[in-house]
Amino acid sequence: MKCISCKKPAEIKITQPFCSECFLKHYQRRVERTIKKFKLIQKNDKVLVAVSGGKDSLSCADVLHQLGFEIAVLHIDVGIKRCTNERSKQVVEKFCKERNIPFHFTSFEDFFDIEDINKFFKVAKRPICATCGMLKRTLFNKFARENGFTKIATGHCADDIVKYFFKTMLAGDKDSILWLSKLKPITPSSHPKIVTRIRPLFEMLEIENLTYTKFRNITVEGCTMCSYFQRKDKWTEILREIDKKIPDFKIKIARTLEKIEIVLPNIQKKEEIKECSICGEPTSQEICAVCKIKQRISKRNAGKIS
Ligand code: AMP
Ligand code: ZN
């Protein structure tokens, strides 16, 4: 099998055969195209890349750096037993040091006593991933805003988008259609305290990100997904089955989702964003989710609920 571009022996075939050099060029070109097409990064932007230490967010940081964008990296230690992987921080820090990228680090300890939050998650009735994700997003936003960043980039890729698409469609209510408007490469700020979010890898596949880190010799912390998540994720299995028949179906779905607003310009999920009456962080409720958790923890500590 020959590389489709230079005709040297191919080293990888995902949708098309490539040698490693042409694969890297092709990968970077595609990300650059997404950035230009959706105006993800403008001249004066200060970009903060949220990096967990996994293949997707490390690829995102590396490709932005390679394309010449000035970036800084933020890593969050969630501090929750079973979700935390101590090596992740070291991997991200080393990656930044080798490239001279400013490295920032913060943790859930900014919000909570870490023992309290561990206890809270231990007795939680529902899966904690949604709460953990919400806390991370709140921290990304707070850190970015307080440190003058104008964009937050995450490593979300076509696989994440398609999983979310199916889960949303299965919910079967009319709000699900509105949620689709969130599935795009950029979520502009909807409040002065909310920093615009960008997803430069929107059209890239997980397997392409893994291959990118391999060919670029980037050390990845393999098991950054928490044990809660791994147990639940039947979607990876389902998508793998579809992949066997249609190898680029995720990219095609991501590209279709990008066009939703062209045909449905009023599809935006309109949430009124206020400021939390306790901490002042942006929220669609009277009290933000972080303050609600704090209230539950204090009630529990006071022995009012089990
Ligand atoms: P996930 O919801 O775990 O799939 O993560 C989605 C994106 O959030 C990743 O691609 C990263 O950009 C970012 N992210 C997740 N966990 C962390 C973390 N612990 N520190 C920094 N960024 C993270
Ligand atoms: Zn609050």
Side-chain angles (χ1 to χ4, degrees):
M1 201 170 36
K2 287 187 178 151
C3 170
I4 189 167
S5 185
C6 73
K7 313 296 174 211
K8 277 195 237 156
E11 289 166 73
I12 182 81
K13 180 174 186 285
I14 296 169
T15 50
Q16 291 168 317
F18 281 113
C19 70
S20 54
E21 211 176 299
C22 292
F23 173 86
L24 290 173
K25 275 193 215 148
H26 180 70
Y27 181 100
Q28 290 179 358
R29 256 200 317 268
R30 277 171 55 206
V31 178
E32 194 174 23
R33 209 168 50 207
T34 305
I35 294 172
K36 285 197 178 135
K37 191 165 153 198
F38 296 95
K39 300 188 174 61
L40 300 190
I41 305 175
Q42 312 277 27
K43 217 166 147 220
N44 297 323
D45 271 328
K46 264 188 83 184
V47 182
L48 181 68
V49 190
V51 179
S52 62
K55 61 189 181 329
D56 304 318
S57 48
L58 279 169
S59 297
C60 181
D62 187 75
V63 74
L64 293 183
H65 182 67
Q66 285 289 311
L67 290 171
F69 294 106
E70 233 178 83
I71 57 162
V73 157
L74 174 67
H75 177 72
I76 295 181
D77 176 11
V78 296
I80 301 167
K81 292 181 187 119
R82 300 173 69 186
C83 294
T84 299
N85 183 337
E86 279 167 22
R87 283 193 307 263
S88 305
K89 185 188 170 197
Q90 292 160 14
V91 161
V92 180
E93 199 166 10
K94 182 169 160 278
F95 168 89
C96 291
K97 207 168 172 187
E98 284 167 359
R99 290 161 182 77
N100 222 357
I101 298 173
F103 169 77
H104 302 282
F105 168 74
T106 179
S107 97
F108 282 4
E109 282 183 82
D110 273 20
F111 290 139
F112 311 101
D113 179 284
I114 219 69
E115 286 305 311
D116 278 346
I117 193 75
N118 269 294
K119 260 192 257 161
F120 176 82
F121 279 130
K122 211 169 162 191
V123 298
K125 291 190 185 71
R126 276 174 290 154
I128 67 164
C129 303
T131 311
C132 184
M134 177 276 295
L135 291 174
K136 278 192 266 187
R137 284 192 299 276
T138 308
L139 258 187
F140 297 154
N141 187 65
K142 192 163 184 278
F143 185 94
R145 189 186 69 233
E146 289 175 351
N147 292 282
F149 290 97
T150 54
K151 299 272 165 72
I152 300 167
T154 56
H156 288 105
C157 62
D159 294 63
D160 303 312
I161 305 301
V162 169
K163 270 183 218 170
Y164 193 80
F165 168 74
F166 278 120
K167 286 183 194 175
T168 311
M169 286 297 102
L170 287 178
D173 53 50
K174 70 176 182 344
D175 242 25
S176 311
I177 298 164
L178 296 179
W179 279 111
L180 290 184
S181 67
K182 301 228 169 200
L183 298 180
K184 51 188 183 178
I186 183 162
T187 307
S189 165
S190 52
H191 184 276
K193 285 192 171 179
I194 296 181
V195 178
T196 297
R197 276 199 243 129
I198 58 171
R199 301 171 193 96
L201 306 189
F202 195 86
E203 289 188 14
M204 310 309 288
L205 298 170
E206 253 177 27
I207 181 76
E208 291 177 307
N209 299 340
L210 182 66
T211 308
Y212 182 83
T213 54
K214 221 166 88 187
F215 288 159
R216 291 272 306 140
N217 276 323
I218 298 170
T219 309
V220 169
E221 191 40 53
C223 190
T224 49
M225 273 196 286
C226 67
S227 44
Y228 290 98
F229 185 70
Q230 279 171 338
R231 253 193 298 131
K232 279 172 54 251
D233 193 35
K234 62 174 182 254
W235 283 100
T236 307
E237 207 50 52
I238 296 170
L239 298 186
R240 198 173 296 144
E241 286 304 310
I242 308 178
D243 247 350
K244 285 182 193 160
K245 306 261 183 213
I246 320 167
D248 57 352
F249 86 100
K250 294 176 209 151
I251 299 175
K252 285 182 171 158
I253 290 184
R255 288 197 182 135
T256 305
L257 286 166
E258 288 167 2
K259 297 185 184 84
I260 276 191
E261 279 180 24
I262 303 172
V263 277
L264 294 172
N266 298 320
I267 192 179
Q268 279 98 335
K269 188 161 169 52
K270 297 219 168 39
E271 289 168 308
E272 193 204 338
I273 305 290
K274 303 176 252 189
E275 293 185 12
C276 168
S277 59
I278 299 176
C279 71
E281 283 299 306
T283 171
S284 56
Q285 314 280 312
E286 184 59 33
I287 296 176
C288 79
V290 172
C291 288
K292 278 187 192 152
I293 296 180
K294 281 185 184 168
Q295 286 179 333
R296 285 187 70 89
I297 288 175
S298 346
K299 275 193 196 154
R300 183 166 287 133
N301 287 347
K304 291 197 185 127
I305 50 174
S306 58

